[in-house]
Structures are given as C-alpha cells and as structure tokens.
C-alpha cells in the first residue's frame, strides 16, 4: 500500500519545524481548538518553544551556516549547534568530536560567533541577566538586556 | 532531530468526505493515518509537511469510495546517533533514568551509560523511585527533576510488536531511544 520513496528527504532544524507549526497558526490560538493543528503537534510545539529554537530567525541561521564553513564541521555537528546553541566550551565538547585536536584555539572563536549570531534561549537569557545584575549595578543589567533584544 | 520523509501511499477516501475540497480531505485522511504513529525505521510522525501529487481517483468495482495514490512528505522525529537532546526527567528507578520530551516519552538511560561513578539513593518523596547522584571529585551532584537534562543519543531501536503481552507489563513502546550521560557537558543543565 505505501512505499517510502525517500526515507530521508532532508534534515530539519528545530527552528524549521517550529516555523512550520507557527505558519499553520500554532502561536496565535490560546484556546488550541481553532487552529488546524492536532494535540500531538501542540506537544511538539510546546517542547520547541522552550528550546533554543524559539527566538531564532532564518537570517540568523543562514549567517551561522556561512560563518561555520571555515571550521570544516560535519553537517550533524552544525545541526546540533543550531539546536542546542552552546554557550561555553564544555557544551561544545559532546557536539564536536575530538574538538581539541581539530580546532584547538578555534573553539573559543566558534563559541563567540555562536553566541553573537544566535539569540540566547529564554532560560539562558535569565541566568545571564542575573549574573550581570549581581556583579554590577542593575542599570547595566538592563542595558545588556536591551542590547540583546535589539540584536534579535 | 527531525527529518522529512517522502512517502507514496495508496489511500481510500471514505465517501463522507466527498463534500470537502480534495486537498483537505486527503490531508485529513493522511493525518488520521500517520500522525503520532511510529513507522519502523523512519521514526515518529509529527506532521504532514506537504502533498506532492495526487493521482488516481478511480472507484474500484464493488467499492463505494475512490482510491488515490498520493505522494507527500512527513515530518518525522528520528534523532541520529550522537545527537544531543535536552529532555525532562520523567522517572528514575534502580535500572536507570527515563526521560520525556513531552511528545515522546520512551527515552531510557541505562545504568552503564550514567556518568561514572555514581550511586543511587532512595527518594524520600516518592517511594518507588530513587535519586541518582554523581560522585565527582568528592562532590555530590544529584539528578533531581528540577532542570532539564542533556543527553547524547546512543541508539534508536524499534522492537517488533509482541504477539501477546502479560497484563501487568508496561504498554508496548514501538520506538525506544537509549541515551548516554557519560560525557562532559551532559547531564542536568545546572551541573555545567
């Protein structure tokens, strides 16, 4: 009855699936009855909205792909980086195999590039604000928060 | 985590859907057939992405409904080995942890893939569960249910459907993911 023509017709980042669900109206419907989306799809939407994908944009991902070319990463590694948005070397370690051997000092550059190009997910943003507000005055914390918001 | 899969399927459109435009009727049928179901070796179907082509529409003799051959793409959830995923703790017992993604619950971390060394202590709040604690450099890091846990996918298996199941056993899981926490940067997010 059914045959699979192409089991893998393309990998999708979390952002692309979230965008697809949003384009069908998942975000706009608080009652979750009117939008033409099934309950199981809403569960996927709930998961994605809490992940790093929720405030990514197509432009930021394209920018990241351009800048990643010089690091010679595998497609699976770039996919992991987009989905997880690592913010420190210890988070990059399970993503890139033999990161020290292949990249050495480049890891710091890669992380800085990722944190500047991709917006931080909501949970990371809260901890960054707390750290900054704790060290300096609250005014500076608000400034960095607005700076990140304008970057988005 | 997600892939697109191109599938061709012959489906019978029941007559009560004849008043809907063809695209919508076929999409509705496909969704009821595939959505939230596991296809062996392809993964869990999340959504119908788009419909490529609709062919046919013949009514076979003796049948009241028309049959279409549809080519369409499905968004499948199928993590690859080595992927890092953030999930929430669902249960933890003496055999290891069980994590959940909201839409998918059968993620198991067996004991030999937990960070080494670690031990478990009975949970004072829930009697049937234990808390796993990682002993690292004389410090104790418990895995509690508060924040999300990052794990690396070790394997994705599709156990065959059992013919008979004893009554008390867990409901059959058609897709099981084994994960590992045994690496730098994995485990509860707050550890790092």
């Amino acid at each position: 009855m059914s045959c699979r023509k192409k089991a893998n017709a393309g990998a999708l980042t979390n952002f692309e699936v979230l965008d697809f669900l949003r384009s069908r109206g998942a975000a706009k419907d608080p009652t979750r009855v009117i939008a033409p989306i099934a309950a199981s799809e809403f569960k996927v939407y709930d998961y994605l909205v809490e992940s790093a994908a929720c405030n990514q944009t197509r432009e930021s991902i394209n920018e990241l792909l351009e800048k990643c070319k010089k690091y010679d990463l595998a497609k699976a590694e770039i996919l992991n980086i987009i989905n997880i948005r690592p913010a420190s070397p210890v988070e990059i370690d399970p993503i890139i195999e033999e990161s020290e051997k292949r990249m050495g000092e480049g890891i710091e550059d890669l992380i800085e590039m990722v944190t500047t190009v991709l917006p931080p997910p909501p949970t990371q943003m809260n901890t960054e604000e707390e750290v900054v507000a704790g060290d300096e005055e609250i005014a500076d914390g608000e400034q960095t928060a607005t700076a990140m918001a304008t970057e988005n | 985590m997600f892939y697109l899969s191109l599938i061709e399927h012959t489906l019978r459109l029941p007559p009560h859907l004849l008043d809907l435009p063809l695209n919508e009727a076929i999409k509705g049928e496909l969704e009821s057939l595939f959505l939230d179901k596991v296809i062996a070796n392809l993964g869990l179907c999340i959504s119908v992405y788009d419909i490529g082509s609709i062919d046919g529409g013949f009514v076979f003799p003796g049948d009241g409904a028309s049959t279409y051959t549809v080519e369409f793409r499905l968004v499948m959830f199928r993590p690859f080995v080595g992927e890092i995923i953030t999930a929430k703790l669902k249960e933890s017992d003496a055999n290891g942890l069980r994590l959940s993604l909201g839409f998918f619950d059968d993620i198991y971390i067996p004991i030999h893939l937990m960070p080494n060394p670690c031990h478990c202590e009975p949970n004072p709040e829930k009697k049937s569960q234990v808390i796993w604690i990682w002993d690292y450099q004389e410090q104790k890091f418990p895995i509690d249910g508060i924040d999300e846990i990052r794990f690396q996918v070790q394997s994705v298996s599709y156990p065959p459907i059992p013919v008979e199941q004893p009554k008390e056993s867990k409901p059959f899981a058609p897709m099981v993911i084994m994960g590992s926490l045994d690496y730098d940067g994995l485990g509860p997010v707050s550890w790092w």
Side-chain angles (χ1 to χ4, degrees):
Chain A
M1 282 266 279
S2 55
C3 72
R4 1 186 132 154
K5 288 200 146 177
K6 251 187 176 185
N8 183 2
L12 295 175
T13 57
N14 287 2
F15 163 74
E16 289 171 303
V17 179
L18 185 59
D19 202 31
F20 169 65
L21 288 174
R22 277 180 183 152
S23 72
R24 287 171 51 189
K28 299 180 198 162
D29 183 14
T31 64
R32 299 193 160 185
V33 178
I34 308 173
I37 298 190
S40 56
E41 291 170 317
F42 268 116
K43 287 187 188 169
V44 180
Y45 177 75
D46 287 336
Y47 172 77
L48 290 175
V49 138
E50 289 180 5
S51 73
C54 67
N55 35 13
Q56 288 173 352
T57 63
R58 216 161 269 282
E59 295 83 16
S60 64
I61 293 192
N62 284 336
E63 205 186 320
L64 188 82
L65 287 174
E66 269 304 311
K67 294 190 177 171
C68 270
K69 282 186 187 166
K70 64 176 182 176
Y71 293 106
D72 198 24
L73 298 170
K75 197 167 163 198
E77 292 169 341
I78 303 185
L79 194 68
N80 262 334
I81 291 179
I82 297 178
N83 285 343
I84 298 274
R85 202 228 174 227
S88 61
V90 77
E91 294 182 32
I92 283 272
D93 218 9
I95 296 183
I96 304 185
E97 275 180 60
E98 303 187 0
S99 45
E100 291 208 4
K101 222 199 295 183
R102 278 160 65 184
M103 294 177 45
E105 293 303 318
I107 298 184
E108 294 289 336
D109 294 334
L110 177 62
I111 290 178
E112 203 179 303
M113 193 255 298
V114 170
T115 44
T116 37
V117 173
L118 293 180
T123 43
Q124 271 186 18
M125 201 146 56
N126 287 339
T127 45
E128 282 174 15
E129 279 181 22
E130 281 170 23
V131 165
V132 173
D135 291 345
E136 305 166 350
E137 290 174 13
I138 299 179
D140 288 358
E142 284 176 6
Q143 271 183 14
T144 35
T146 44
M148 286 197 292
T150 46
E151 265 180 29
N152 293 348
Chain B
M1 226 192 303
F2 299 103
Y3 280 90
L4 279 180
S5 277
L6 183 63
I7 301 201
E8 185 185 66
H9 184 72
T10 318
L11 82 106
R12 178 184 175 272
L13 202 62
H16 68 265
L17 297 176
L18 281 177
D19 56 337
L20 295 174
L22 186 60
N23 262 336
E24 279 184 32
I26 293 209
K27 192 166 184 211
E29 263 307 286
L30 289 175
E31 284 185 349
S32 66
L33 264 178
F34 289 105
L35 215 62
D36 211 23
K37 305 234 170 40
V38 172
I39 304 181
N41 299 322
L42 280 188
L44 173 71
C45 173
I46 301 285
S47 187
V48 174
Y49 190 69
D50 63 6
I51 299 183
S53 66
I54 306 178
D55 233 359
F58 303 114
V59 180
F60 288 105
D63 196 358
S66 45
T67 309
Y68 295 89
T69 308
V70 190
E71 203 177 279
F72 55 97
R73 285 190 289 187
L74 292 175
V75 179
M76 308 295 294
F77 166 69
R78 182 176 85 242
F80 53 88
V81 172
E83 184 167 0
I84 314 278
I85 301 182
T86 329
K88 299 201 171 86
L89 181 66
K90 187 170 177 183
E91 305 177 331
S92 79
D93 57 15
N95 291 330
L97 298 175
R98 183 173 176 187
L99 305 177
S100 154
L101 287 177
F103 56 94
F104 185 76
D105 287 342
D106 296 311
I107 304 176
Y108 294 97
I109 316 268
I111 307 183
H112 62 273
L113 293 174
M114 302 273 278
N116 233 347
C118 67
H119 66 278
C120 70
E121 284 175 12
N123 187 342
E125 289 168 34
K126 298 182 200 172
K127 296 209 176 131
S128 56
Q129 299 191 15
V130 299
I131 297 190
W132 284 92
I133 300 182
W134 182 35
D135 309 309
Y136 178 65
Q137 293 180 352
E138 303 186 1
Q139 267 192 312
K140 287 185 188 271
F141 294 95
I143 301 182
D144 43 27
I146 300 181
D147 49 25
E148 304 200 319
I149 300 183
R150 216 171 261 170
F151 69 97
Q152 186 173 46
V153 175
Q154 285 296 116
S155 74
V156 181
S157 63
Y158 304 89
I161 305 178
V163 178
E164 281 181 8
Q165 262 185 319
K167 284 194 183 162
E168 297 291 321
S169 64
K170 282 196 298 198
F172 169 65
M175 178 169 158
V176 174
I177 298 184
M178 287 291 174
S180 155
L181 292 182
D182 196 8
Y183 207 73
D184 288 344
L186 300 179
V189 178
S190 59
W191 284 4
W192 307 98

